[in-house]
Amino acid sequence: MKDNLLRIGLAQINSCVGDLEGNRKKIFEFVEKAKENACDLVVFPELAITGYPPEDLLLKKHFISDNIKTLNSLVKEIKQITAVIGFVDQNKNHIFNAAAVITDGKLKGIYHKKNLPNYSVFDEKRYFESGFKNPLFKVGKFICAVNICEDIWEEGGVYAQQKKSGANLLINISASPYYIDKINLRKKMLSRRAKDLNDFVCYCNLVGGQDELVFDGGSFIFDKKGKLIAFGKQFQEDLLIADLGIVGAAPSGRPKNIGQPRQMSRLEEVYSALVLGTRDYITKNGFKKVVIGLSGGIDSALVVAIAVDALGRENVVGVSMPSQYTSLGTKTDAEILAKNLKIKFLTIPIDGIFNTYLDNLQKEFSGRAKDTTEENLQARIRGNILMSLSNKFGWLVLTTGNKSETSVGYCTLYGDMAGGFAVIKDVFKTLVYDLAYFRNEKDKIIPETIFTRSPSAELKENQRDQDSLPDYEVLDHILKGYIEEDKSIEQIIAKKFDADIVKKVIKLVDTNEYKRRQAPPGIKITPKAFGKDRRLPITNKYNK
């Protein structure tokens, strides 16, 4: 510590749930980086040792015990620096979401999270007890207070009590999942906290993908006037360093990299979240390669581009499965897309298999007209082919359904819904196009005809999505109101939407809940995604 300055490092790391030893090694690695950069204090995210969220692993007593053993090993290893590390603490039969403060090989104190979120994707009250103490600790001339994630969001709550106790540096360790514009909400709130308290506020956020969730990093340090003085990278691990003084502060740290990274645009942010979520789901679950059905449409084009950016072209396989209804245009576009991305590309026609099905079912289907049964058969044949390739070669199947289709059930159970991970499950169709255009700005990998052709499942002659669904601009607005904003049918109609269309769409959403329950997990990028965010009963007669 020099000239009454405290050099602090915020280590936004990518923990993996349950990988206690891997997380320990990563924490120690960043402790050493902080020491190399002459930091006096290094801070890690919420539950950095266990990963977040550990969910029902917290019901295993041996898991809690092993996490405490991991913390104790870190305590012995951490020398010549103070570290704040998130872990699970235990007192008799009670467990706590906790932060340990370690200095020179000694555990100096523990803070227990007070405000336990129990909404959206959070269910911490299922596992943890609330803390009740406000321990402070001293580093140089700073009286430091630690709190955890939700503790800083409650107006006039924990942080205000800590200020009254004499704190002049507030540290918040967090595991705040990403959704569109969440970073700006955090920024406004934290700036207000720093200004109101007249204290430095340091916010260290987790980064990485965990099942449906993506944590975006973007750690912050605000000065006493609420001014942002240091900003961590988004969707990347980072050690964010700043020098804090009792009187003032100046950004510092990274040699030849003084200053702040540019905040991403909305589309860059969403695309980065999808890439990181895809990469971490696949690699953390032990897969190396993925396989994707390429239809020549916009959805599969976006998914395969994300997969290549996440894993590298050598780890992505595209499969075209044309039928008698597949147009030359879509077939050619799938080939061009694969060639542009330089991925392995297979063509497996399904005509013969489809005709065999029809022949075998001819007696049972006798006297009945063709309908969605024959359409869904084709989708299920394609799903079987992809799953067979997955079984044989160990490739994970990435599904290509978007949020608009998933919402209204415009997808086939055990067909195009079959797979291991749904990359764009939370991305409305209109946003799919925006993201594809955004990706093409980097290099034009997606053929222009994919953008201009009318969307079609190509399961019958001259089929178009809009034969069954409203225009996607209209559909997505209705779906956003009903699914993400919980608006009633009347409230949506009041926004100048056609009443019959609104009622039809809402009925489709409600009656297809059973399909969504059987869909693979997918990346959350909106405030309310299907899955943990939105938990409606399948058997449900309330339709308003």
Side-chain angles (χ1 to χ4, degrees):
M1 191 169 297
K2 299 178 182 178
D3 303 322
N4 295 321
L5 292 176
L6 173 74
R7 177 164 286 187
I8 186 169
L10 304 185
Q12 57 177 52
I13 62 170
N14 188 340
S15 296
C16 181
V17 167
D19 186 8
L20 302 180
E21 178 58 19
N23 296 339
R24 184 199 68 79
K25 288 179 179 177
K26 182 162 287 190
I27 289 168
F28 187 70
E29 173 191 335
F30 272 80
V31 167
E32 292 301 297
K33 283 183 183 179
K35 286 165 64 175
E36 289 168 9
N37 283 278
C39 290
D40 306 297
L41 173 63
V42 60
V43 179
F44 291 87
E46 179 179 11
L47 296 185
I49 286 177
T50 62
Y52 190 94
E55 300 185 294
D56 278 10
L57 287 175
L58 295 169
L59 302 180
K60 298 176 183 284
K61 291 183 179 180
H62 48 289
F63 177 73
I64 306 301
S65 176
D66 287 343
N67 123 94
I68 291 172
K69 288 177 185 176
T70 303
L71 174 72
N72 290 336
S73 71
L74 280 166
V75 170
K76 295 175 184 177
E77 293 176 312
I78 294 173
K79 304 289 178 64
Q80 300 174 322
I81 195 170
T82 296
V84 178
I85 302 172
F87 78 111
V88 180
D89 196 19
Q90 184 174 35
N91 184 356
K92 296 182 180 177
N93 291 323
H94 302 297
I95 65 170
F96 303 87
N97 186 335
V101 181
I102 303 164
T103 302
D104 290 331
K106 295 180 181 178
L107 181 61
K108 290 294 187 180
I110 295 174
Y111 171 82
H112 291 161
K113 186 175 183 178
K114 292 187 174 182
N115 294 322
L116 303 176
N118 224 57
Y119 57 86
S120 182
V121 299
F122 305 105
D123 50 7
E124 290 195 18
K125 289 183 180 179
R126 174 178 170 87
Y127 309 106
F128 297 117
E129 298 286 333
S130 293
F132 56 90
K133 293 182 179 179
N134 279 326
L136 304 179
F137 64 97
K138 191 172 182 181
V139 181
K141 293 189 176 182
F142 278 92
I143 306 299
C144 305
V146 172
N147 56 44
I148 301 176
C149 202
E150 192 78 6
D151 289 335
I152 204 167
W153 285 89
E154 184 185 47
E155 195 79 36
V158 175
Y159 64 88
Q161 298 168 22
Q162 292 173 322
K163 171 68 175 178
K164 285 181 182 178
S165 299
N168 56 13
L169 171 60
L170 181 62
I171 295 167
N172 181 270
I173 66 171
S174 185
S176 179
Y178 167 79
Y179 61 73
I180 295 170
D181 206 41
K182 181 79 171 285
I183 196 166
N184 290 321
L185 288 177
R186 297 188 201 121
K187 190 185 292 186
K188 288 176 185 176
M189 181 274 293
L190 292 165
S191 174
R192 189 167 64 248
R193 296 286 182 267
K195 190 175 182 180
D196 290 347
L197 295 170
N198 192 33
D199 273 354
F200 292 105
V201 172
C202 301
Y203 172 85
C204 184
N205 193 30
L206 186 68
V207 68
Q210 172 59 33
D211 295 345
E212 300 100 329
L213 303 180
V214 175
F215 299 91
D216 52 321
S219 299
F220 296 123
I221 299 176
F222 289 87
D223 70 12
K224 298 178 181 183
K225 295 181 180 179
K227 179 184 177 183
L228 180 64
I229 60 172
F231 175 30
K233 293 175 182 175
Q234 294 173 264
F235 305 101
Q236 296 180 52
E237 289 189 319
D238 196 12
L239 180 63
L240 180 65
I241 298 174
D243 288 332
L244 310 182
I246 295 295
V247 177
S252 69
R254 305 185 192 96
K256 301 179 183 178
N257 189 22
I258 295 174
Q260 301 171 21
R262 170 187 60 82
Q263 184 170 332
M264 292 179 174
S265 69
R266 177 174 175 270
L267 289 177
E268 185 180 8
E269 189 182 278
V270 175
Y271 193 86
S272 298
L274 295 171
V275 169
L276 177 58
T278 300
R279 179 189 301 126
D280 275 7
Y281 187 85
I282 290 158
T283 57
K284 287 180 179 180
N285 282 294
F287 289 94
K288 292 182 175 149
K289 293 193 176 188
V290 296
V291 60
I292 302 160
L294 296 185
S295 66
I298 194 71
D299 297 320
S300 61
L302 178 61
V303 170
V304 74
I306 290 167
V308 167
D309 290 341
L311 304 168
R313 61 175 60 94
E314 68 279 6
N315 294 315
V316 179
V317 180
V319 184
S320 172
M321 293 168 282
S323 74
Q324 57 263 52
Y325 302 118
T326 304
S327 68
L328 178 61
T330 53
K331 192 157 47 173
T332 302
D333 281 344
E335 293 172 3
I336 293 172
L337 176 65
K339 184 177 180 181
N340 289 346
L341 288 168
K342 300 177 182 177
I343 63 170
K344 182 182 179 71
F345 182 67
L346 307 175
T347 299
I348 305 175
I350 68 165
D351 311 58
I353 304 171
F354 181 48
N355 289 329
T356 299
Y357 263 104
L358 295 180
D359 289 343
N360 287 342
L361 292 167
Q362 186 175 13
K363 180 181 176 182
E364 285 71 17
F365 287 1
S366 178
R368 292 184 176 268
K370 288 185 178 179
D371 55 18
T372 54
T373 306
E374 285 77 12
E375 295 177 32
N376 291 338
L377 263 176
Q378 296 166 72
R380 290 184 176 123
I381 290 166
R382 290 178 172 126
N384 271 323
I385 289 171
L386 291 174
M387 289 308 302
S388 296
L389 292 169
S390 174
N391 289 162
K392 184 62 70 176
F393 300 106
W395 303 336
L396 183 72
V397 177
L398 300 185
T399 67
T400 60
N402 59 61
K403 191 172 188 176
S404 306
E405 296 169 347
T406 304
S407 297
V408 297
Y410 194 65
C411 47
T412 303
L413 203 55
Y414 322 122
D416 54 322
M417 293 177 69
F421 196 59
V423 176
I424 57 172
K425 180 180 180 178
D426 197 31
V427 183
F428 284 126
K429 186 77 168 191
T430 47
L431 183 53
V432 168
Y433 278 100
D434 290 342
L435 289 168
Y437 276 119
F438 168 79
R439 180 58 181 83
N440 257 22
E441 288 174 3
K442 179 180 175 183
D443 48 284
K444 293 189 180 302
I445 54 166
I446 302 174
E448 185 62 26
T449 45
I450 290 181
F451 292 99
T452 57
R453 184 186 301 109
S454 294
S456 171
E458 291 195 322
L459 298 174
K460 64 180 181 179
E461 292 288 354
N462 301 315
Q463 186 179 36
R464 293 171 62 254
D465 288 4
Q466 265 55 69
D467 296 336
S468 304
L469 302 173
D471 181 82
Y472 280 115
E473 287 284 351
V474 173
L475 178 63
D476 288 355
H477 277 97
I478 295 171
L479 293 173
K480 189 174 190 297
Y482 188 64
I483 295 166
E484 295 182 7
E485 299 168 0
D486 292 316
K487 292 188 183 299
S488 68
I489 292 176
E490 289 75 15
Q491 287 174 314
I492 297 170
I493 292 171
K495 295 284 187 180
K496 309 295 184 186
F497 290 105
D498 180 271
D500 290 338
I501 291 175
V502 172
K503 290 175 183 177
K504 177 186 175 184
V505 168
I506 298 325
K507 184 177 180 181
L508 287 171
V509 173
D510 289 347
T511 55
N512 281 284
E513 182 64 30
Y514 79 100
K515 280 190 182 181
R516 292 188 291 272
R517 289 287 185 93
Q518 300 178 69
I523 301 164
K524 169 184 166 70
I525 58 108
T526 67
K528 185 170 283 190
F530 291 122
K532 289 184 180 181
D533 264 341
R534 189 175 186 272
R535 311 177 200 183
L536 289 179
I538 296 174
T539 306
N540 172 23
K541 292 295 184 183
Y542 190 82
N543 55 4
K544 296 180 181 180

